[in-house]
Amino acid sequence: MSTGRIGVRDAVAALVAFLFAALGASIGTQGIVGPAVLVPGVLLSLVASAALFTASRWPRAATAVAICCETAACALGYLPTPLLLAPLIGCLYWLAVVGSVRAVAWWTGAAVAAVILGGLIDTPTGGSLVLRTVGVALWLLPAVFAGRTTQAHRSYLDVVRARAEDAERSRDDEVRHRVGEERLRIARELHDVVAHHLTVAHAQAGTAEHLLDRRPEQARELVAGLSASTAAALQELKATVAVLRTSDDEVPMETVPAPGLDQLDELVEPCRAAGIEVTVLREGALDCLPRLVDVTAYRVVQEALTNVTKHAVAPSVTITVERTGDTFCVEVVNTGSRPGPVGAGYGLVGMRERALALGGTVVAGPVGPDRYAVTLAVPLTPWEEAR
């Protein structure tokens, strides 16, 4: 369809140029010339107009044909008016639209020089001399300027279109990046909530079953703690799902504040009820920690306790929370670890991702016979300066 429209446009332009050129061939310095003298000019105009029809596809060849026809017409004595030169003007316009600056300058100079030389063969004088020299340049150069302007406009539109497409791709990439980061964040939160609470609940249920016959009172206490653990898991899970189901313009109906080290005693209590000996040591000024550091430390301790509950036999855990100068450190050391890569799943990956986001590190591994440690270290200076 596009090719058809281009053909119609070129045909109309060629027809109009031929009518102008035929009219120009009939005009001389003495007025309207006779029919016998008119025929060669009309034929040359027809050939030049046919070249104009192909100028949008083959501008150089069309311009060469038009130059030859207009030069021959001027050599035969026809006056180089804008009407007679209409086909050449159209060819130079298309050449200026698609050609380089050097090519356009060369072809324009050749066209002006050839037409002027052809007109000077008739030894013109007076006003005819001005029309055949200066007039030729005045008629042809505006077409070149118009073509260059069109080319500049097209180039500008191409640049704008390319920038818009690049911006669209960048926006899509940014959206995908943000979605990926959000998925990772949600995955970490769900893993921390579900893995910890369900692991502790499983340990409590197993211990209660073991003590049910010999120590029924202690078993009932464990069952009560089991209910509290599952309730906490459901509450955090419900809050996370509520955020996912809420649109950007809505406010969640129920929210649970992100946990911190002020809830550390509540975190270790179910573990103690499940039979794990947990000792918490605090050193340094811990009252005004940056919120992100506080939440990350809580999640690291939570994941470490989850691994202890799953992998350790008769465990004893020591949690040390310490601030020394501009460094915050949390260390979870447990005894009774089973052989093998404890904590090598998604939990350890999540801990390292959280620490990396704060510019810190997480190191997990054996620290001696039957001992395993998880250590979080975070520099506090950048976060305190940002507050």
Side-chain angles (χ1 to χ4, degrees):
M1 183 175 295
S2 176
T3 304
R5 286 199 297 267
I6 293 176
V8 172
R9 179 196 62 193
D10 293 341
V12 171
L15 178 61
V16 173
F18 171 70
L19 295 177
F20 284 165
L23 179 60
S26 66
I27 300 176
T29 56
Q30 303 300 325
I32 304 300
V33 300
V37 182
L38 184 61
V39 173
V42 172
L43 293 177
L44 291 171
S45 299
L46 180 61
V47 175
S49 299
L52 176 60
F53 177 74
T54 64
S56 61
R57 283 157 287 186
W58 302 289
R60 290 178 175 81
T63 302
V65 173
I67 290 174
C68 294
C69 293
E70 301 297 353
T71 302
C74 293
L76 292 175
Y78 293 97
L79 193 64
T81 62
L83 298 176
L84 182 68
L85 299 177
L88 179 56
I89 291 174
C91 291
L92 287 176
Y93 169 81
W94 279 113
L95 182 64
V97 169
V98 301
S100 63
V101 175
R102 178 177 297 181
V104 171
W106 190 92
W107 281 98
T108 303
V112 172
V115 174
I116 289 177
L117 290 176
L120 293 179
I121 294 176
D122 193 39
T123 61
T125 58
S128 177
L129 178 62
V130 175
L131 290 176
R132 293 176 185 272
T133 54
V134 179
V136 172
L138 293 178
W139 311 143
L140 298 182
L141 291 180
V144 177
F145 294 148
R148 299 305 299 178
T149 301
T150 301
Q151 187 190 57
H153 181 66
R154 288 184 175 182
S155 300
Y156 171 76
L157 292 180
D158 291 340
V159 171
V160 171
R161 189 179 301 110
R163 288 180 178 177
E165 293 174 354
D166 185 65
E168 185 68 22
R169 286 192 297 269
S170 299
R171 184 162 50 248
D172 293 341
D173 293 341
E174 179 66 19
V175 170
R176 284 192 292 269
H177 179 68
R178 290 180 179 272
V179 170
E181 288 185 338
E182 187 65 13
R183 289 175 59 187
L184 288 176
R185 187 190 68 81
I186 293 170
R188 285 196 298 265
E189 293 295 329
L190 289 177
H191 176 274
D192 292 342
V193 171
V194 175
H196 175 74
H197 288 293
L198 292 186
T199 300
V200 173
H202 177 73
Q204 289 176 319
T207 304
E209 182 182 8
H210 180 70
L211 297 176
L212 186 60
D213 295 330
R214 293 180 299 172
R215 302 177 185 176
E217 292 297 330
Q218 188 175 355
R220 277 193 289 270
E221 292 179 1
L222 287 174
V223 171
L226 174 62
S227 176
S229 297
T230 55
L234 289 174
Q235 186 180 19
E236 290 198 47
L237 187 60
K238 182 178 179 181
T240 304
V241 174
V243 173
L244 296 179
R245 293 176 60 90
T246 304
S247 65
D248 294 338
D249 299 329
E250 297 177 352
V251 178
M253 298 299 295
E254 296 184 20
T255 59
V256 176
L261 292 178
D262 56 341
Q263 303 178 27
L264 188 57
D265 293 335
E266 300 170 1
L267 176 66
V268 302
E269 189 59 36
C271 296
R272 289 170 176 164
I276 301 174
E277 181 182 347
V278 182
T279 303
V280 178
L281 304 177
R282 295 180 173 88
E283 300 179 12
L286 305 174
D287 297 334
C288 53
L289 288 174
R291 186 56 180 161
L292 289 176
V293 177
D294 194 25
V295 174
T296 299
Y298 178 90
R299 292 302 189 192
V300 169
V301 173
Q302 185 182 52
E303 177 59 26
L305 290 176
T306 302
N307 290 332
V308 170
T309 305
K310 289 191 297 184
H311 300 289
V313 178
S316 173
V317 180
T318 300
I319 303 172
T320 304
V321 182
E322 182 181 12
R323 176 174 181 173
T324 56
D326 296 331
T327 302
F328 173 76
C329 180
V330 173
E331 185 180 44
V332 182
V333 181
N334 71 278
T335 59
S337 296
R338 297 173 185 170
V342 180
Y346 291 114
L348 182 56
V349 173
M351 286 192 290
R352 286 174 175 167
E353 289 175 347
R354 290 179 182 275
L356 184 62
L358 301 179
T361 58
V362 167
V363 178
V367 292
D370 201 33
R371 286 167 59 86
Y372 193 90
V374 175
T375 304
L376 166 69
V378 178
L380 296 178
T381 304
W383 299 98
E384 292 181 337
E385 292 177 351
R387 294 172 62 179

